[in-house]
Amino acid sequence: MAGLVAEKKNVVVIGGGVAGSLVAKSLQNEADVFLIDEKEYFEITWASLRSMAEREFAKRSVISHFEYLPHAKIVTSAAVNITDTDVFTTQGSRIRYDYLVVATVGGGPTGVELAAEIAVDFPDKKAMLVHRGSRLLEFIGESASRKTLNCLTSNKVEVILGQSVDLNSSSDGVYRTSGGETIVADCHFICIGKSIGSSWLKETILKDSLDTQGRLMVDSNLRVKGHNNIFGIGDITDIPELKQGYLAQSHAKIAAKNIALLTKGAKDEKLAMYKPATKALAIVSLGRKKAVARFPCFSIAGRVPGMIKSGDLFVGNTQKGLGDV
């Protein structure tokens, strides 16, 4: 009947990280959006290391969900179950969805970046980096690894490769490595990678959509395989590419576009497709002015890549993406 307004669809987004926050913001005026996140704020995770060296920087890297989502509903809780129609949270909430987005995003090369931040901002402190692998930053190639090692050692960071630290054996600031070495330190930071946090999905309707590594299998439209109204974006997906924040944002834009199209009755052939970034750019900050970057055909270290990332760590651009909050 003419004059009637179509009822808005319910879109539930699980995870308020770099990808989930962008999907929620993009759809809040087109659908009834619910963002489920354990925190009340979006944290620019790759900026947290600078925040450890500079407290004022921390204020810029944390944004309240309520600031950039005035038309969405924020559910501060963890999701614990998903059925064909609803998402359940630890607080006992039951949220119906027409479209669901599972958006969990992990971290990055934390140890290297933290060591560099400490060495640059506190040159009188002795910094040591212990890494289990045979070289640093295995994911960006041998040339970039060598350049990263040279940059750290030139800033007097001691790097121990091929070993790990047994924290359970530490006593009064004395630590032992797997190679039998003894390290004396006033404090330590654990910078090992976290799991992708998908184990809870094994008890949901998505249990058969997980690969052997626990990642959600998605198609070219970023829909979870076997579910036409559920999307997976960010680190939790099985997309064969580096797990980078800017790529997760690309996922978010595609997913938001496709959900908007589907709410308007678009056919599958009209949906946007995501092409994996198999030769993605990767930049690792090495303090305030330097960085190492891997481009598709070469790598470079020093002030030039540092000009791209290290000064602001993309915080300004990320804030703009959420509406200059």
Side-chain angles (χ1 to χ4, degrees), residues 56-102:
E56 289 300 312
F57 198 79
K59 297 178 181 179
R60 298 181 56 215
S61 61
V62 174
I63 305 169
S64 169
H65 291 316
F66 297 93
E67 289 187 47
Y68 67 92
L69 293 174
H71 306 301
K73 299 175 181 65
I74 314 301
V75 181
T76 308
S77 184
V80 293
N81 193 19
I82 299 170
T83 68
D84 289 320
T85 56
D86 300 274
V87 177
F88 295 82
T89 73
T90 54
Q91 293 182 344
S93 297
R94 177 178 180 176
I95 306 168
R96 184 185 67 80
Y97 69 86
D98 295 298
Y99 296 95
L100 173 64
V101 182
V102 183

Side-chain angles (χ1 to χ4, degrees), residues 51-174:
S51 300
M52 296 176 70
E54 180 186 343
R55 292 183 180 180
E56 289 300 312
F57 198 79
K59 297 178 181 179
R60 298 181 56 215
S61 61
V62 174
I63 305 169
S64 169
H65 291 316
F66 297 93
E67 289 187 47
Y68 67 92
L69 293 174
H71 306 301
K73 299 175 181 65
I74 314 301
V75 181
T76 308
S77 184
V80 293
N81 193 19
I82 299 170
T83 68
D84 289 320
T85 56
D86 300 274
V87 177
F88 295 82
T89 73
T90 54
Q91 293 182 344
S93 297
R94 177 178 180 176
I95 306 168
R96 184 185 67 80
Y97 69 86
D98 295 298
Y99 296 95
L100 173 64
V101 182
V102 183
T104 58
V105 178
T110 308
V112 167
E113 293 191 326
L114 179 57
E117 291 285 341
I118 294 172
V120 170
D121 277 29
F122 305 99
D124 58 321
K125 303 293 184 182
K126 181 180 179 181
M128 180 178 294
L129 175 62
V130 182
H131 180 58
R132 187 191 302 270
S134 60
R135 59 183 176 86
L136 300 174
L137 306 178
E138 292 98 331
F139 68 96
I140 63 173
E142 293 186 15
S143 176
S145 293
R146 289 194 300 272
K147 291 170 182 175
T148 301
L149 179 60
N150 291 338
C151 185
L152 289 176
T153 54
S154 68
N155 280 288
K156 300 180 180 179
V157 175
E158 183 178 349
V159 179
I160 299 177
L161 297 173
Q163 297 189 49
S164 59
V165 177
D166 182 7
L167 296 177
N168 294 324
S169 66
S170 63
S171 177
D172 297 324
V174 179

Side-chain angles (χ1 to χ4, degrees), residues 20-298:
S21 61
L22 186 54
V23 168
K25 177 186 181 298
S26 301
L27 294 173
Q28 63 179 329
N29 294 320
E30 299 188 46
D32 287 330
V33 173
F34 295 79
L35 176 66
I36 301 175
D37 192 39
E38 295 184 69
K39 307 184 299 296
E40 293 184 341
Y41 56 88
F42 162 58
E43 180 182 6
I44 305 175
T45 52
W46 58 86
S48 61
L49 302 178
R50 175 71 51 83
S51 300
M52 296 176 70
E54 180 186 343
R55 292 183 180 180
E56 289 300 312
F57 198 79
K59 297 178 181 179
R60 298 181 56 215
S61 61
V62 174
I63 305 169
S64 169
H65 291 316
F66 297 93
E67 289 187 47
Y68 67 92
L69 293 174
H71 306 301
K73 299 175 181 65
I74 314 301
V75 181
T76 308
S77 184
V80 293
N81 193 19
I82 299 170
T83 68
D84 289 320
T85 56
D86 300 274
V87 177
F88 295 82
T89 73
T90 54
Q91 293 182 344
S93 297
R94 177 178 180 176
I95 306 168
R96 184 185 67 80
Y97 69 86
D98 295 298
Y99 296 95
L100 173 64
V101 182
V102 183
T104 58
V105 178
T110 308
V112 167
E113 293 191 326
L114 179 57
E117 291 285 341
I118 294 172
V120 170
D121 277 29
F122 305 99
D124 58 321
K125 303 293 184 182
K126 181 180 179 181
M128 180 178 294
L129 175 62
V130 182
H131 180 58
R132 187 191 302 270
S134 60
R135 59 183 176 86
L136 300 174
L137 306 178
E138 292 98 331
F139 68 96
I140 63 173
E142 293 186 15
S143 176
S145 293
R146 289 194 300 272
K147 291 170 182 175
T148 301
L149 179 60
N150 291 338
C151 185
L152 289 176
T153 54
S154 68
N155 280 288
K156 300 180 180 179
V157 175
E158 183 178 349
V159 179
I160 299 177
L161 297 173
Q163 297 189 49
S164 59
V165 177
D166 182 7
L167 296 177
N168 294 324
S169 66
S170 63
S171 177
D172 297 324
V174 179
Y175 305 84
R176 295 193 180 279
T177 72
S178 57
E181 296 187 37
T182 299
I183 298 173
V184 179
D186 296 311
C187 64
H188 70 269
F189 300 95
I190 302 174
C191 301
I192 57 177
K194 295 182 179 180
S195 65
I196 57 177
S198 65
S199 59
W200 68 281
L201 292 175
K202 296 178 181 179
E203 306 300 323
T204 74
I205 62 166
L206 300 183
K207 61 183 179 181
D208 294 325
S209 300
L210 298 170
D211 67 10
T212 56
Q213 294 181 318
R215 299 190 185 276
L216 277 176
M217 295 181 286
V218 297
D219 62 20
S220 59
N221 304 128
L222 299 184
R223 291 189 289 193
V224 175
K225 292 183 178 179
H227 301 273
N228 289 333
N229 64 334
I230 301 179
F231 290 75
I233 59 177
D235 283 8
I236 199 169
T237 67
D238 69 337
I239 298 174
E241 63 185 10
L242 291 178
K243 304 305 179 182
Q244 299 274 291
Y246 77 95
L247 294 178
Q249 289 176 321
S250 296
H251 299 178
K253 293 174 183 177
I254 293 291
K257 180 178 180 178
N258 285 342
I259 291 173
L261 287 170
L262 288 168
T263 61
K264 297 172 184 175
K267 302 296 183 181
D268 284 1
E269 57 266 24
K270 298 294 184 181
L271 299 182
M273 298 177 66
Y274 181 77
K275 183 178 180 181
T278 54
K279 296 183 179 180
L281 166 68
I283 305 179
V284 178
S285 175
L286 297 174
R288 294 179 181 271
K289 295 183 179 180
K290 296 182 179 181
V292 59
R294 189 206 71 175
F295 296 91
C297 299
F298 67 96

